Amino acid sequence: MSIRPIDVARTDGGPLWVEAVATPSGVEVWWDEPRPHEGGRRCVVRRLPDGTRTDALPQGWNARNRVIEYGGRSWRPLPGGGLVFTNWADQRLYRLDAPAPAAPLPGVPVPLTPEGPARYADLYLPPGRDEVWAVRETDDVRDLVAVPLDGGPVKVIVEAQHFLMNPRLSPDGRHVAWIGWDHPNMPWDGTELCVAPLREDGTAGEYRVVAGGPEESVAQAEWRDGTSLYAVTDPTGWWNVHLVHLDGSPARNLTPMELEFGSAAWKPGMTYLAIADTGELAVVYGTPDHRRLGVLDPETGGLREIGGPATYWSSTVSVAGGKVAGVGATPYTPLEVTLVDLEEGGAWEIVSARKPLPDRDLLPTPEAVTVEGVHAHLYPPVGAQGPGPYVIFVHGGPTGSHPVVLDLEIAYFTSRGIGVAVVNYGGSTGYGRAYRERLRHQWGVVDVQDCAKVARGLVELGRADAAKLAIRGGSAGGWTTVAALVHSDVFAGGVAHYAITDPESWAAETHDFESRYLDGLVGPLPETRERYTERSPLLNAYRTSGPCLMLHGLEDAIVDVSQAERFTAELDKHGKEWALLTYPGEQHGWRREETIVAVLEAELAFYGLIFGMETPEVPPLTLKGRA
């Protein structure tokens, strides 16, 4: 038996945001989840204290947005059971009132913002105000706005840095806090935690920076009281929880340890801490190998782990009614919404619907290893006997990481005799700033070398066949894939999902958020143009060590499909083997069930060709240039 592509599609992705809400009858939990079988939309789900689950968002509505193209926090529950959310189709903000008690379905959403180019994200409900605050993005200009829940005029609260996130109202209602940054920084390079007084008209006065800077990354901030905030920031080189005072006195590190209590802010609205009524903090912390859910006593610094058997918790946490809501997983279970008691040894329960999973015998057992200082997770093929084919999986970002959680995409290949090694190369998050900074000005060098080190290490350990090594990745991982084919001789072939193939043209073509990303990854232009030329897979396509399969969505606004088209044209020009498959209706990543299935089948067929394996269960793939 093997895992089917449809099994992968139906467990793909997980909840992005959770929120716990205290009610007289107990704690409700809200979350959003992907629906590949419903065209890839994200649906908001409400779970009542009695265990009843209902879709809070009607069919045809999609709680997503395109702020900084990756999207941010897209919904918040309203008191009484209503919902405010951003809708993918038109990027407007909507209010959806709670259905009447006898109504079988939610009502019709009401628009709160006008039609037009504006997008909204990082939604926040300021206590005591009948409005929702949000980051508004209009033609690459961002501000923080207040949107009345009755649909009145949108009001600008803050105009400050080029990028903004994390709007928060102080408990006394007198100040607004936010996090901002400017080009060429990315939010994991340097951000500023800002505080400003609120005028009578609800707009912010002159602000001051209370934490952060050009080389310090504040990832989240929450008000402790009217004079101080908890901030997840990294002046020590590790995202720790700090207490920041408005009076200018030194901040205090509440978690002085070499563990990450934050991560890279790819989506505005991610949360790593939440404040309980007791004053304790629910926190998410650890490494990609083991990321914990814990309770921090900010007075004593005491930290205890909670959360049951989950070994990884994602970047969303909420507290209400003495309970913590989060999203946890293990190597054998997917990301699931879990409700945990704050008490010592507290009970826990999974509140999201259980997904059908394959037999445990079909799932690989991951092994965390370090090869010459490079972090990796090995997933041996089922029934492996001696050296066999292995694929190096490269995560995107590149400022990201791949956690140790159930990933049926990996199991799809291991159940067919193909081993997988996931490489968290230099530049990955979860191991401190120094490890992230290994990639500074070295993108296309360190990432390629680290993947090659792990591949060679597998051969030396007798696990992999040196003639049957491949590499694959998406986005920045797709870049590393094609760069490894061009700049190393280790791999027999590669699969690149929505890949960057030429850094200079991509920097000129891409969206605003990442338009200066390469200043830190490669170097500023035009001063370092020679590096761009030397590392460009497009300009060195004649050097590829093996065939390449390119997969790309036709609506990708982050990496245009022309990156794949130009690269495969160069491969064809030099007599190399290649294939390019494109998918209408898909953006940067696969969301539709039929696409996920088609992509997996094409990838397996490709490995069959380069590894000499029979793959009769999938449609054949033809490589251009193959005799």
Side-chain angles (χ1 to χ4, degrees):
M1 281 185 66
S2 299
I3 291 171
R4 302 171 303 164
I6 196 68
D7 299 327
V8 181
R10 290 176 180 171
T11 60
D12 187 63
L16 282 176
W17 325 105
V18 296
E19 187 139 350
V21 178
T23 72
S25 56
V27 175
E28 293 184 1
V29 186
W30 296 63
W31 66 90
D32 65 298
E33 61 186 31
R35 296 283 176 85
H37 58 290
E38 296 178 13
R41 79 174 182 125
R42 294 201 74 89
C43 182
V44 180
V45 181
R46 179 187 186 189
R47 194 261 197 180
L48 301 177
D50 64 5
T52 304
R53 282 187 300 268
T54 59
D55 285 358
L57 198 62
Q59 280 274 6
W61 297 86
N62 185 357
R64 286 180 61 204
N65 57 71
R66 294 186 62 169
V67 168
I68 68 168
E69 291 303 340
Y70 289 99
R73 177 80 192 230
S74 57
W75 58 270
R76 290 280 185 176
L78 296 172
L83 180 72
V84 59
F85 69 97
T86 61
N87 185 47
W88 175 256
D90 58 7
Q91 298 294 304
R92 297 170 76 185
L93 263 174
Y94 285 81
R95 187 191 76 243
L96 178 61
D97 294 330
L105 297 171
V108 178
V110 176
L112 299 179
T113 54
E115 294 180 344
R119 308 166 176 180
Y120 302 84
D122 205 356
L123 308 190
Y124 166 72
L125 296 175
R129 300 184 178 226
D130 293 326
E131 57 192 21
V132 57
W133 289 5
V135 175
R136 180 177 66 177
E137 179 180 82
T138 310
D139 299 328
D140 295 338
V141 175
R142 294 160 199 88
D143 46 24
L144 299 181
V145 298
V147 181
L149 291 173
D150 63 4
V154 176
K155 178 173 60 183
V156 176
I157 306 171
V158 171
E159 295 176 296
Q161 295 92 339
H162 192 62
F163 298 98
L164 304 165
M165 66 179 185
N166 196 101
R168 297 292 188 270
L169 177 68
S170 63
D172 58 13
R174 298 173 57 192
H175 291 85
V176 56
W178 69 90
I179 296 169
W181 71 98
D182 290 298
H183 283 316
N185 270 350
M186 299 300 286
W188 42 87
D189 295 325
T191 60
E192 297 174 329
L193 173 57
C194 303
V195 173
L198 276 178
R199 302 186 182 102
E200 288 188 8
D201 64 359
T203 63
E206 185 176 352
Y207 73 86
R208 58 194 175 100
V209 177
V210 298
E215 296 182 355
E216 179 184 338
S217 168
V218 186
Q220 183 192 352
E222 303 292 340
W223 287 97
R224 176 179 182 263
D225 52 37
T227 63
S228 60
L229 302 100
Y230 295 115
V232 178
T233 185
D234 73 340
T236 65
W238 297 84
W239 275 303
N240 289 167
V241 181
H242 292 70
L243 181 60
V244 176
H245 305 280
L246 299 192
D247 63 7
S249 57
R252 180 161 63 96
N253 189 348
L254 305 180
T255 56
M257 57 189 77
E258 293 187 350
L259 286 173
E260 298 281 43
F261 287 73
S263 192
W266 283 99
K267 292 179 177 292
M270 299 165 80
T271 53
Y272 317 97
L273 69 81
I275 306 172
D277 292 338
T278 61
E280 296 174 302
L281 307 181
V283 292
V284 174
Y285 65 103
T287 71
D289 301 340
H290 187 183
R291 200 173 190 217
R292 304 164 176 88
L293 177 66
V295 179
L296 173 67
D297 184 332
E299 301 303 323
T300 67
L303 180 64
R304 55 185 172 85
E305 186 175 356
I306 59 173
T311 55
Y312 183 87
W313 293 85
S314 62
S315 300
T316 181
V317 63
S318 178
V319 177
K323 296 182 183 291
V324 184
V327 179
T330 76
Y332 309 105
T333 55
L335 292 164
E336 297 173 305
V337 181
T338 306
L339 192 63
V340 186
D341 284 351
L342 271 170
E343 300 293 332
E344 184 88 38
W348 58 274
E349 62 173 325
I350 293 171
V351 298
S352 53
R354 295 294 186 107
K355 295 179 178 180
L357 298 177
D359 292 342
R360 176 73 173 265
D361 291 344
L362 293 175
L363 302 179
T365 297
E367 178 185 345
V369 300
T370 303
V371 179
E372 298 181 42
V374 181
H375 299 284
H377 308 134
L378 306 185
Y379 295 82
V382 173
Q385 298 291 329
Y390 256 84
V391 180
I392 300 295
F393 271 43
V394 191
H395 66 73
T399 313
S401 61
H402 198 295
V404 182
V405 299
L406 176 66
D407 186 338
L408 286 190
E409 187 175 50
I410 290 173
Y412 175 74
F413 296 110
T414 59
S415 70
R416 288 170 166 78
I418 300 172
V420 169
V422 175
V423 180
N424 284 332
Y425 49 87
S428 300
T429 55
Y431 307 101
R433 182 180 280 261
Y435 194 76
R436 291 202 312 274
E437 292 289 330
R438 285 189 58 224
L439 202 61
R440 180 161 291 276
H441 297 161
Q442 296 297 313
W443 194 43
V445 179
V446 165
D447 48 330
V448 170
Q449 291 173 348
D450 284 0
C451 289
K453 285 178 186 176
V454 173
R456 291 191 185 102
L458 288 168
V459 174
E460 292 171 4
L461 290 170
R463 296 194 178 192
D465 183 337
K468 295 182 178 180
L469 292 170
I471 185 168
R472 64 91 78 177
S475 189
W479 151 273
T480 303
T481 294
V482 293
L485 291 180
V486 167
H487 298 301
S488 80
D489 58 1
V490 175
F491 302 104
V495 180
H497 301 242
Y498 34 92
I500 299 165
T501 65
D502 181 59
E504 184 169 359
S505 62
W506 177 75
E509 298 164 353
T510 196
H511 61 130
D512 185 45
F513 175 61
E514 292 184 275
S515 63
R516 300 291 299 277
Y517 195 6
L518 297 193
D519 282 32
L521 290 175
V522 182
L525 285 168
E527 300 94 313
T528 61
R529 177 164 284 123
E530 187 176 346
R531 287 183 205 161
Y532 286 74
T533 302
E534 290 172 351
R535 297 180 197 175
S536 169
L538 173 68
L539 301 180
N540 296 277
Y542 66 93
R543 299 170 57 181
T544 52
S545 60
C548 187
L549 170 62
M550 307 290 290
L551 306 159
H552 221 106
L554 292 179
E555 294 181 9
D556 193 334
I558 295 172
V559 180
D560 190 78
V561 68
S562 61
Q563 289 277 319
E565 292 169 340
R566 292 196 295 262
F567 183 64
T568 52
E570 281 298 302
L571 292 177
D572 195 61
K573 174 181 173 182
H574 295 288
K576 301 292 185 176
E577 295 178 286
W578 61 276
L580 170 60
L581 303 178
T582 58
Y583 300 92
E586 292 285 5
Q587 297 95 44
H588 198 65
W590 315 126
R591 290 179 173 84
R592 299 182 177 187
E593 184 175 281
E594 61 271 24
T595 306
I596 296 168
V597 169
V599 163
L600 279 171
E601 290 181 337
E603 190 165 345
L604 180 61
F606 178 80
Y607 296 142
L609 290 174
I610 67 171
F611 293 152
M613 300 172 57
E614 296 293 329
T615 57
E617 68 270 40
V618 299
L621 176 72
T622 300
L623 294 177
K624 304 291 178 62
R626 172 160 285 211

